[in-house]
Amino acid sequence: MASHSSDLENARVNSPNPVKYVSDFFDRYPIHKNYYLRIFLQALVTIWAVMSFTFVLVRLMPGNPVDVLIEQILTQEGISYQEAYDRVAASFNIDPDASMLDQYVDYVGDLLRLDLGTSITSPGTRVIDEIARFLPWTIFAVGCGFLISFVLGIVLGMTMAYYRDSVLDHSLSLVSSFFTGVPNYIWGLLIIIGPGITWKWFNVGAARGTYDPGLTPGFNAEFIASAIEHALLPIFTYVLATLGSWMLSMKSSTASVLNDDYVNVAEARGLKDRRIITSYVGRNAMLPLFAQLSISIGFVLGSGVVIEEIFVYWGFGHYLFQAITVRDYTGIQGSVLILSSTFVFSNLLADLTYGLLDPRVRITGEK
Amino acid sequence: MYRKTLLGLLLVALSLLAFAPVQAQDNVLNVAWPYQVPPTGHFNTFASGGIALGQYQDLHEPPLAVLMWATGDYQGMVAEEFGWDDDGNYVISIVDGNTWSDGSAMTADDLMATFNIFRLRGDAVWANMSGIEKVDDSTVKFHMESPSSLAERIILTTNLRPASVFGDIADRASMMSPGDDGWDALLQELTEFRPEMPVSGGPYTIQPDTISEANLMLALNPGGFAGDIQHYDMVRMWNGETEVVTPLVANQELHYITHGIPPTTEEDFANRGIDIVRSGMNNGPGLYVNHAVYPLNMVEVRQAIAYAVDRIQNGVVSLGESGVAVEYMTGMSDGLSEAWLSDDVLDSLNTYDHDLMKAEELLMGVGFSRNDAGHWVDDNGDTLSFELTFPQEYADWSAAAENATAQLNDFGFDISARGVQFQQHPQDIYSSNFEMAIRNWGLGDPIPGRSYLQAYNRYNGQGEVAGEGGGAGMNFDNNVDFSGGMVNVFDLSNMSSQGVDKDAQAELVSQLAVSYNELLPAIPLWERYTNNALNRNFIMVPDAGDSIFANFGGGADNWMTTLILTGVTAPADM
């Protein structure tokens, strides 16, 4: 101890610009008071906490990958438990005797090298490759759905607010309430059963998948057209399922802005309706929705599980669902890490950008 | 603004029409099995994640032989000649003239490669085998410790793999033994091996560029086994579990499924003119009890429960026409009982027909009585109050549990049913964490002794194997005393699969059946029958009642793949 203290003292004396204590460092460089750095670090700690929690939680789930596959084989094939166990145990890339701490240390070490590990149930397949296979389809379909429903919701919500208490307002309110109340999987099933099976407007089988078999993914017209075609039903479902809430939110927000003094002043000044709508009402009414949209981006990845199963449009949701079903620990961990990072960083993005849009909440200086 | 909105909606509606209905191609067989797409799915069918396609694996990796369940005889497929030699070894010669889809000839090397990989994986087939020997280009000899009908079945129902793909790993495995340096590394190499292309020796080959989440295509492989007698150019394998494939069947795009469907879906399919094919599956749900819980360890109590539950009602409530009440209560299916037991033995069995009076007599005979509320109390004055657990995600088993609970409570038991997450439920049984439970009896296997593995092995002391630290399962003592004497029923069930003398095996099976019937270690409720949806408007197969439908369809010996391999399945308009 004495020797250690002495070393520190020497270091301070010999240093041209000595830093006596850690607190001195922060006094001199008050980075901890930097708002942006602080919330960024908070985001990283949140992700680490979720990652660690997930690591423990998946191992506390009933059954493990070996048990799950044994039960599957026993259900599908007429073989004994011992035969199923022998076959499965040799097929997996896990060490059942490794302690949870050892597994955690290995996992974190891999993560620091940006390696999500290899799939347990498909040994040798990298989790990052699997996620890369499925993630873009979810981003594409759910992203398009959210964008379309957001834009439509803004327009229709403003319309409802402008024509308050009219037949149009009441009709749209009824429709939007109905849309909001029906879960997305019900819309999916209704689309399959009604237009698909009963009225045969489209071919249920041909609509499945993310693109037509035989095509090579790439920037070519045939593939892009096929990808859009296959995404239409999921996108349509996402729009139906989320449109109502955007409409109602925008209506509420617009109605409140319409009563503000500056709108009355603008009208009194004789400004054109178009200008009032866009510059005075629309911009301000959209502010609360923008925050909502930023947070909703986090839901983009997680909201497609059931829809992707119904339309056999396999994206990230399907991958996560499948990983949970077969207890593919590395697959679950990788997926949840991506999900939680998206949530956290979309919230961070909302925090950082909201001030740019609304000067009233802008944070200045070292706050 | 309105015009733009309307235009957008119109575009969406028009886009839906892009998937205008198309007629199914005449020469494509539409069937279904769930699989994973690459990169999770791959073409190494020895490893987890391989795109094997369940029973349809027979179409690209053909079986050596198929057991015809109605007669009990094997019909050779890739194996042209097969049987025991005078030294008790098994010898197989495969058909000459077939080629794999990569152009290599199908020879004994493929057999050697396949079974050497099994050895590397530690498959059960090697438990009774000391080695394999290539006799000539088409013949392989399996050196056995002793002849056994179980070993014969495991060998013959093997799906053959190509030496051109797996030969290298197999050869290296053949030169090593478990525990050698490099053995584990070789096993890991096998599980991580990813062939670039699927290589088929059967009548159809997977087309890698057609693999999508929706389906994949298998194209005719003329040089493969049975490739020259096929009536279809292609097989379309639809992907998905029951809820995913059901709309396709209803929409007449998918013409045959082996997925279990609920009775309401059956009814809808029937209304659409779709046939439901039923075959006994040799297994079903049973009422298991923890023999460490008093008084469930008393045979009279278990017999009383058997009398008190109307199994016919339980089966119909749970699975409609596919829930067929067990009659003989031998621990194996009625079909196996009739095939293996003499008439005298069958006549001697107690069928435990629904009879509340007999149940009452049994309980009163051991000193139990009813309290003022009408509930049964045991000789210690405790109410017969138990918890019955069941895997809550299994609709038919859940219904069986609820119905059995209701019937037993009406009789005076005090039972509460509780659903448990389906992956947790077997773990609870393995670790003896239950009082009463719904689990499966029997096994989809024609060898009768194997039906007893559930009650005497899997759910009775399998905790160690299942990773639960040596749980005792249902705590049943396998050393039993019955009217035929004292026997160890687990040993008996293993012995009955050994040897090739059917009469000797039948004698052991009789002891198993009678002892089970008397002691009822678990109470079978009903046998699950398949309810395969078959659209005969598109597929021509023999009429219902044909003996081929005894090949129930799970795993090996599937009737549909057998009919395809023998060139019988054809388009309906042929």
Side-chain angles (χ1 to χ4, degrees):
Chain A
M1 264 324 258
S3 160
H4 182 63
S5 302
S6 161
D7 289 346
L8 280 177
E9 190 60 32
N10 290 336
R12 282 201 295 269
V13 171
N14 296 332
S15 170
N17 191 14
V19 178
K20 289 181 182 175
Y21 301 105
V22 174
S23 58
D24 288 353
F25 174 83
F26 285 111
D27 285 343
R28 186 169 298 173
Y29 307 106
I31 54 173
H32 61 291
K33 291 183 179 175
N34 183 291
Y35 173 72
Y36 297 107
L37 183 65
R38 209 168 60 223
I39 62 170
F40 181 72
L41 288 175
Q42 280 175 354
L44 288 183
V45 170
T46 306
I47 290 170
W48 169 79
V50 172
M51 179 267 288
S52 301
F53 184 65
T54 307
F55 182 89
V56 175
L57 197 65
V58 295
R59 282 159 180 78
L60 296 178
M61 288 162 70
N64 58 47
V66 175
D67 293 335
V68 170
L69 194 58
I70 286 174
E71 294 298 325
Q72 278 181 7
I73 290 176
L74 286 172
T75 306
Q76 292 167 1
E77 303 179 30
I79 62 175
S80 72
Y81 187 90
Q82 188 65 52
E83 285 170 278
Y85 181 85
D86 290 343
R87 190 193 301 177
V88 170
S91 304
F92 279 125
N93 188 19
I94 55 171
D95 177 6
D97 298 326
S99 74
M100 197 182 285
L101 181 63
D102 289 343
Q103 293 178 52
Y104 181 75
V105 169
D106 287 346
Y107 175 57
V108 173
D110 288 344
L111 275 187
L112 292 175
R113 294 191 297 273
L114 301 179
D115 180 1
L116 295 179
T118 57
S119 165
I120 289 177
T121 52
S122 181
T125 306
R126 297 193 314 157
V127 169
I128 193 70
D129 291 338
E130 292 184 315
I131 291 177
R133 160 70 176 76
F134 294 110
L135 186 60
W137 299 109
T138 297
I139 292 175
F140 173 57
V142 187
C144 286
F146 262 77
L147 203 62
I148 293 169
S149 86
F150 182 72
V151 172
L152 272 179
I154 296 293
V155 172
L156 293 173
M158 281 181 67
T159 308
M160 289 158 67
Y162 258 90
Y163 297 97
R164 271 169 296 178
D165 293 330
S166 67
V167 174
L168 180 68
D169 174 31
H170 293 311
S171 307
L172 288 176
S173 292
L174 190 68
V175 170
S176 56
S177 299
F178 177 67
F179 280 11
T180 307
V182 180
N184 59 10
Y185 59 88
I186 296 291
W187 282 119
L189 289 173
L190 287 174
I191 289 170
I192 294 280
I193 294 167
I197 295 175
T198 307
W199 303 315
K200 298 192 183 300
W201 289 0
F202 64 90
N203 187 303
V204 176
R208 293 184 168 192
T210 46
Y211 57 91
D212 289 331
L215 294 179
T216 306
F219 285 102
N220 58 77
E222 195 181 10
F223 171 75
I224 292 170
S226 175
I228 292 172
E229 192 178 54
H230 282 263
L232 281 173
L233 292 177
I235 290 173
F236 188 51
T237 308
Y238 293 131
V239 171
L240 286 178
T242 55
L243 178 61
S245 65
W246 291 124
M247 286 168 68
L248 293 173
S249 298
M250 189 61 187
K251 177 192 171 185
S252 164
S253 184
T254 307
S256 113
V257 171
L258 283 172
N259 293 327
D260 283 345
D261 291 342
Y262 61 84
V263 176
N264 294 329
V265 171
E267 286 172 347
R269 285 170 62 198
L271 296 178
K272 288 183 178 174
D273 276 356
R274 180 182 292 264
R275 190 172 170 199
I276 295 173
I277 292 170
T278 54
S279 302
Y280 286 73
V281 178
R283 270 180 73 174
N284 289 297
M286 272 180 61
L287 283 174
L289 273 75
F290 176 78
Q292 198 178 332
L293 178 69
S294 303
I295 294 166
S296 296
I297 291 172
F299 286 92
V300 164
L301 300 185
S303 63
V305 179
V306 183
I307 294 303
E308 288 175 5
E309 291 299 317
I310 289 174
F311 291 108
V312 195
Y313 186 89
W314 285 3
F316 184 75
H318 164 81
Y319 175 69
L320 176 58
F321 176 74
Q322 189 62 28
I324 292 171
T325 304
V326 298
R327 301 291 190 266
D328 192 328
Y329 294 158
T330 47
I332 299 170
Q333 288 162 187
S335 305
V336 175
L337 185 66
I338 300 280
L339 260 180
S340 56
S341 301
T342 312
F343 267 100
V344 169
F345 283 112
S346 60
N347 274 288
L348 188 64
L349 189 70
D351 280 352
L352 295 175
T353 55
Y354 198 76
L356 300 176
L357 296 171
D358 189 352
R360 292 170 297 184
V361 298
R362 191 169 296 165
I363 293 170
T364 57
E366 296 175 350
K367 289 183 181 174
Chain B
M1 191 161 57
Y2 299 123
R3 269 184 298 175
K4 284 180 183 170
T5 307
L6 285 173
L7 186 63
L9 290 172
L10 187 62
L11 279 173
V12 171
L14 286 173
S15 301
L16 292 176
L17 296 177
F19 300 110
V22 292
Q23 289 299 313
Q25 290 167 268
D26 287 341
N27 236 13
V28 177
L29 175 64
N30 284 276
V31 291
W33 192 264
Y35 60 85
Q36 288 297 318
V37 297
T40 311
H42 52 80
F43 305 124
N44 178 0
T45 55
F46 282 115
S48 173
I51 302 177
L53 305 177
Q55 68 260 22
Y56 299 105
Q57 184 177 6
D58 290 359
L59 303 187
H60 58 103
E61 293 178 336
L64 299 179
V66 169
L67 181 72
M68 307 309 286
W69 284 45
T71 61
D73 297 325
Y74 285 100
Q75 180 174 335
M77 294 288 154
V78 169
E80 189 171 39
E81 293 176 18
F82 48 89
W84 300 98
D85 67 9
D86 294 338
D87 300 326
N89 299 318
Y90 206 72
V91 182
I92 292 180
S93 295
I94 63 172
V95 181
D96 274 337
N98 291 321
T99 55
W100 295 88
S101 57
D102 64 356
S104 58
M106 190 179 288
T107 68
D109 290 337
D110 302 311
L111 268 175
M112 296 292 290
T114 303
F115 282 87
N116 275 321
I117 296 282
F118 283 159
R119 179 168 167 269
L120 177 62
R121 289 202 317 182
D123 277 31
V125 65
W126 276 87
N128 198 33
M129 206 156 75
S130 56
I132 51 175
E133 174 193 351
K134 179 179 170 182
V135 177
D136 57 40
D137 277 351
S138 60
T139 307
V140 165
K141 180 183 287 186
F142 298 80
H143 293 271
M144 311 299 293
E145 306 284 351
S146 59
S148 126
S149 52
L150 174 59
E152 178 182 45
R153 171 157 179 78
I154 296 176
I155 291 171
L156 288 179
T157 52
T158 291
N159 292 92
L160 194 65
R161 270 73 158 208
S164 59
V165 177
F166 297 102
D168 175 46
I169 294 177
D171 288 346
R172 282 186 281 152
S174 71
M175 291 182 281
M176 301 167 74
S177 296
D180 285 356
D181 285 345
W183 180 265
D184 289 343
L186 189 60
L187 179 58
Q188 185 174 348
E189 184 181 335
L190 171 69
T191 59
E192 295 182 357
F193 177 51
R194 297 288 182 270
E196 287 183 13
M197 294 287 290
V199 175
S200 166
Y204 296 97
T205 309
I206 294 172
Q207 303 297 293
D209 61 341
T210 67
I211 299 174
S212 75
E213 303 96 315
N215 55 49
L216 61 80
M217 303 298 289
L218 295 105
L220 186 64
N221 179 31
F225 173 74
D228 56 342
I229 55 172
Q230 295 304 305
H231 301 289
Y232 292 97
D233 294 332
M234 308 278 271
V235 174
R236 180 182 288 112
M237 190 66 57
W238 290 95
N239 189 15
E241 298 288 355
T242 306
E243 65 281 4
V244 174
V245 298
T246 297
L248 297 171
V249 178
N251 212 31
Q252 316 242 352
E253 294 179 69
L254 171 55
H255 306 142
Y256 172 67
I257 57 170
T258 52
H259 301 55
I261 50 176
T264 47
T265 306
E266 261 186 40
E267 196 177 327
D268 179 70
F269 284 175
N271 291 337
R272 294 170 191 269
I274 297 167
D275 199 7
I276 302 296
V277 179
R278 300 184 205 279
S279 309
M281 295 177 72
N282 284 358
N283 62 69
L287 200 51
Y288 281 72
V289 299
N290 187 339
H291 291 254
V293 174
Y294 184 81
L296 296 174
N297 58 328
M298 297 178 69
V299 64
E300 293 85 357
V301 174
R302 299 195 298 275
Q303 288 177 336
I305 291 173
Y307 278 120
V309 176
D310 181 349
R311 301 191 297 277
I312 296 174
Q313 181 195 105
N314 192 273
V316 171
V317 164
S318 304
L319 202 59
E321 289 182 53
S322 285
V324 179
V326 175
E327 182 182 353
Y328 294 117
M329 305 288 274
T330 59
M332 54 185 173
S333 70
D334 291 340
L336 285 176
S337 294
E338 288 173 354
W340 283 86
L341 304 179
S342 67
D343 289 345
D344 288 345
V345 173
L346 284 174
D347 290 342
S348 73
L349 295 171
N350 185 345
T351 54
Y352 296 96
D353 295 335
H354 184 50
D355 190 334
L356 297 181
M357 290 300 293
K358 279 192 175 169
E360 186 135 0
E361 282 171 22
L362 278 164
L363 293 182
M364 295 183 75
V366 290
F368 293 10
S369 58
R370 289 183 188 270
N371 62 17
D372 293 341
H375 286 139
W376 284 101
V377 290
D378 63 21
D379 48 349
N380 297 322
D382 296 326
T383 310
L384 296 190
S385 178
F386 308 105
E387 181 184 70
L388 191 159
T389 63
F390 58 91
Q392 62 194 14
E393 288 84 354
Y394 298 175
D396 49 349
W397 288 17
S398 300
E402 300 284 358
N403 178 264
T405 299
Q407 290 197 47
L408 288 171
N409 285 345
D410 286 347
F411 175 61
F413 279 65
D414 177 23
I415 294 176
S416 52
R418 180 170 65 89
V420 177
Q421 199 268 350
F422 76 104
Q423 284 154 334
Q424 179 62 43
H425 193 247
Q427 306 302 324
D428 285 350
I429 309 303
Y430 299 145
S431 54
S432 306
N433 182 24
F434 76 107
E435 291 178 332
M436 301 173 78
I438 297 288
R439 294 305 303 175
N440 54 312
W441 61 268
L443 197 65
D445 190 295
I447 296 177
R450 314 243 296 160
S451 291
Y452 295 93
L453 292 176
Q454 308 291 352
Y456 297 148
N457 181 238
R458 181 183 178 194
Y459 296 129
N460 198 32
Q462 274 297 299
E464 193 170 359
V465 174
E468 295 296 318
M474 59 192 271
N475 288 296
F476 179 71
D477 186 353
N478 283 338
N479 295 299
V480 304
D481 189 0
F482 78 114
S483 61
M486 286 194 69
V487 291
N488 182 296
V489 283
F490 178 56
D491 292 344
L492 209 58
S493 62
N494 282 330
M495 286 158 55
S496 69
S497 307
Q498 302 304 313
V500 289
D501 181 350
K502 267 201 157 183
D503 292 337
Q505 289 175 338
E507 173 54 33
L508 298 177
V509 171
S510 294
Q511 290 185 48
L512 281 167
V514 173
S515 59
Y516 194 100
N517 183 260
E518 290 178 10
L519 302 173
L520 291 181
I523 301 152
L525 291 172
W526 40 271
E527 181 178 355
R528 186 189 179 106
Y529 273 55
T530 61
N531 52 2
N532 297 174
L534 171 68
N535 195 328
R536 290 182 185 270
N537 295 321
F538 294 88
I539 299 178
M540 185 172 66
V541 292
D543 293 336
D546 190 285
S547 62
I548 188 65
F549 295 112
N551 289 36
F552 80 85
D557 311 325
N558 174 270
W559 64 260
M560 175 57 90
T561 53
T562 302
L563 291 176
I564 295 171
L565 291 175
T566 50
V568 175
T569 302
D573 55 4
M574 266 190 66

